[in-house]
Amino acid sequence: MMTQKLTKIGKTDILSTPLGLGTNAVGGYNLFPDLKDETGLEIVRAGLENGITLLDTAYVYGLGHSEELVGQAMKDFDRSHIILATKGAHDFSTGEEVIKNDPKFLTEQVEASLKRLKTDYLDIYYIHFPDKTTPKAEAVGALQRLREQGKIKAIGLSNFSLDQIKEANADGYVDVVEDEFSLLHQDNAQTMMPYLEANQISFVPYFPLASGLLTGKYDQAVSFAGDDIRSQIADFKKPRFDEALKAIDRIRPVAQAYDATVTQIVLAWYMQNPLISVVIPGAKRPTQVINNAKAMAIDLTKDDYQKIDDAFSWFKDEESGKSLADPD
């Protein structure tokens, strides 16, 4: 099925499919209503059965429950063929959400994640958010010591600014950065990615489908209730929403030419973008994972890649910022 080559993570020997699976809707009961554990298990299995090798989870997805479900789903598969990524930085021990990067806390978090995931090593461990006090190179140093013990293979940063990434990478230990990027959010292409490329640091975009907007399923008639997170996101408000719908209409003929959906053609664009290592769309149903995996078989021509790029040119000149606020 796959025509795509494997992609290397940073300076490591880790090789992943260019499409991974984001699992915030697997066990992330604090993020989404009405999640069922069995559906979560089926989502992970569907990914692994359909050629996806990278699973991306985090402690804060269900406060460890996503990791538990991912670990449970993985047990029927060959662990050596799975690229397992998780993230930590949230401390809820006081009842309040506190972001911590201190070496002792990160070391404890890695050990706890290993237990929940029922594995003896993590392929990628990300510091999920930067805190305000820990020197970033010290935080990364703690992960480097865990790498030397064989507990993690690659060191990642998530939601770090360019200056924070540079500080964290003082010793050259950082392998991968995860942050928001999509056809609607291209800020990082100008700011962060040149540094990452120059330092052999891989880039993994989250929200690649922009909360479903880039699937092509919405039209002008859509509206969201006040408690729906999409009602807070600028992409679903004018003028960004109108511009997004126009751009999506421009790429529908490209999708049709490949007998593909809008989602699949957008994912194919990411997989052929030289700035991106692995794209990690999430899913709430196994069928979505199966359909997303089919995008790995699409090989866009240079012309069609450029057509998609051009369709979203409005968003290249717009400062979009983050879709959601970082925790303090």
Side-chain angles (χ1 to χ4, degrees):
M1 181 179 83
M2 288 187 295
T3 59
Q4 301 277 358
K5 65 181 188 303
L6 295 174
T7 184
K8 189 165 169 286
I9 302 298
K11 299 173 282 289
T12 73
D13 59 0
I14 299 171
L15 296 172
S16 171
T17 45
L19 185 78
L21 172 64
T23 64
N24 61 355
V26 175
Y29 61 82
N30 55 334
L31 306 175
F32 300 99
D34 309 321
L35 294 182
K36 293 183 171 57
D37 283 3
E38 189 48 52
T39 306
L41 292 169
E42 287 169 10
I43 286 168
V44 178
R45 290 184 196 122
L48 296 173
E49 285 165 0
N50 286 274
I52 289 169
T53 60
L54 187 143
L55 304 175
D56 181 278
T57 185
Y59 163 69
V60 81
Y61 306 163
L63 308 189
H65 193 48
S66 178
E67 290 180 325
E68 289 167 351
L69 291 178
V70 168
Q72 193 180 330
M74 278 175 17
K75 70 180 190 308
D76 299 325
F77 297 85
D78 184 344
R79 170 69 181 93
S80 68
H81 292 162
I82 297 169
I83 310 304
L84 184 56
T86 192
K87 305 182 275 295
H90 295 76
D91 181 15
F92 290 94
S93 60
T94 63
E96 298 287 315
E97 179 184 75
V98 179
I99 301 299
K100 284 188 181 175
N101 295 173
D102 65 89
K104 181 174 180 287
F105 179 76
L106 288 177
T107 303
E108 289 166 355
Q109 287 298 292
V110 168
E111 297 290 356
S113 287
L114 288 168
K115 285 191 181 121
R116 287 188 290 264
L117 286 156
K118 295 185 171 60
T119 186
D120 55 5
Y121 72 97
L122 302 167
D123 295 277
I124 303 170
Y125 191 81
Y126 292 96
I127 303 175
H128 203 161
F129 286 90
D131 71 10
K132 290 186 165 59
T133 54
T134 310
K136 303 299 161 239
E138 270 183 33
V140 166
L143 298 184
Q144 177 63 16
R145 287 190 288 281
L146 291 166
R147 172 162 36 199
E148 287 161 4
Q149 294 166 27
K151 290 178 179 175
I152 63 178
K153 290 188 168 186
I155 293 171
L157 307 172
S158 182
N159 302 296
F160 277 52
S161 70
L162 177 56
D163 285 344
Q164 289 168 331
I165 292 167
K166 288 177 178 175
E167 186 192 334
N169 194 44
D171 300 303
Y173 294 148
V174 176
D175 297 295
V176 54
V177 162
E178 188 174 305
D179 208 328
E180 182 165 10
F181 178 85
S182 71
L183 283 160
L184 306 185
H185 288 257
Q186 301 195 38
D187 308 36
N188 284 326
Q190 282 79 38
T191 54
M192 188 184 291
M193 289 182 181
Y195 174 82
L196 302 186
E197 198 171 16
N199 288 273
Q200 290 177 272
I201 297 172
S202 295
F203 182 72
V204 175
Y206 65 71
F207 293 167
L209 298 174
S211 301
L213 183 46
L214 285 169
T215 64
K217 67 182 177 183
Y218 295 116
D219 59 29
Q220 288 288 359
V222 75
S223 65
F224 301 104
D227 62 349
D228 188 312
I229 205 161
R230 287 166 293 191
S231 70
Q232 311 301 319
I233 296 175
D235 290 344
F236 290 92
K237 298 172 182 171
K238 293 176 185 290
R240 294 181 65 81
F241 185 67
D242 294 346
E243 292 295 337
L245 293 185
K246 276 192 254 178
I248 290 159
D249 283 342
R250 282 180 63 186
I251 67 168
R252 287 185 197 278
V254 180
Q256 285 164 359
Y258 287 83
D259 196 22
T261 63
V262 168
T263 303
Q264 288 163 346
I265 217 74
V266 166
L267 292 175
W269 184 87
Y270 294 130
M271 285 188 271
Q272 284 180 233
N273 186 321
L275 300 173
I276 292 171
S277 293
V278 184
V279 60
I280 50 166
K284 290 190 182 147
R285 296 185 302 279
T287 50
Q288 290 173 321
V289 185
I290 294 163
N291 288 331
N292 288 350
K294 290 175 182 169
M296 286 192 281
I298 298 171
D299 192 10
L300 294 170
T301 65
K302 279 186 182 166
D303 280 354
D304 287 333
Y305 178 92
Q306 196 57 48
K307 275 182 200 167
I308 297 166
D309 198 76
D310 291 345
F312 289 87
S313 59
W314 187 86
F315 293 91
K316 287 183 185 177
D317 305 321
E318 283 289 303
E319 257 191 58
S320 47
K322 291 281 186 86
S323 287
L324 300 174
D326 289 349
D328 290 330

